[in-house]
Amino acid sequence: MKIAILAGDGIGPEVTAAALAVLEALGVPGRSLSEGDVGAAAWRRHGHPLPEATLALAREADAV
């Protein structure tokens, strides 16, 4: 299962870290995690709040 991780801004990174800890504890076999930039962090790095690379990552994932 491909999972796209998009932490975003504000409390997003904190909440995402907790969710990832839960996924790790579950030990779901065959999962693959990929992170993408979205929001203000993406704007600062890429000049757009939803870069094409992040959109492609989300489209290819089984879950976001």
Side-chain angles (χ1 to χ4, degrees):
M1 171 183 274
K2 292 180 187 177
I3 303 173
I5 309 299
L6 308 177
D9 302 313
I11 64 167
E14 185 177 335
V15 171
T16 300
L20 289 174
V22 170
L23 278 177
E24 185 66 31
L26 290 173
V28 177
R31 67 176 161 68
S32 137
L33 305 177
S34 301
E35 294 187 41
D37 291 328
V38 69
W43 183 267
R44 285 190 295 275
R45 289 186 189 133
H46 309 284
H48 195 280
L50 182 58
E52 284 297 321
T54 300
L55 192 54
L57 178 73
R59 286 182 174 150
E60 293 171 5
D62 299 309
V64 179

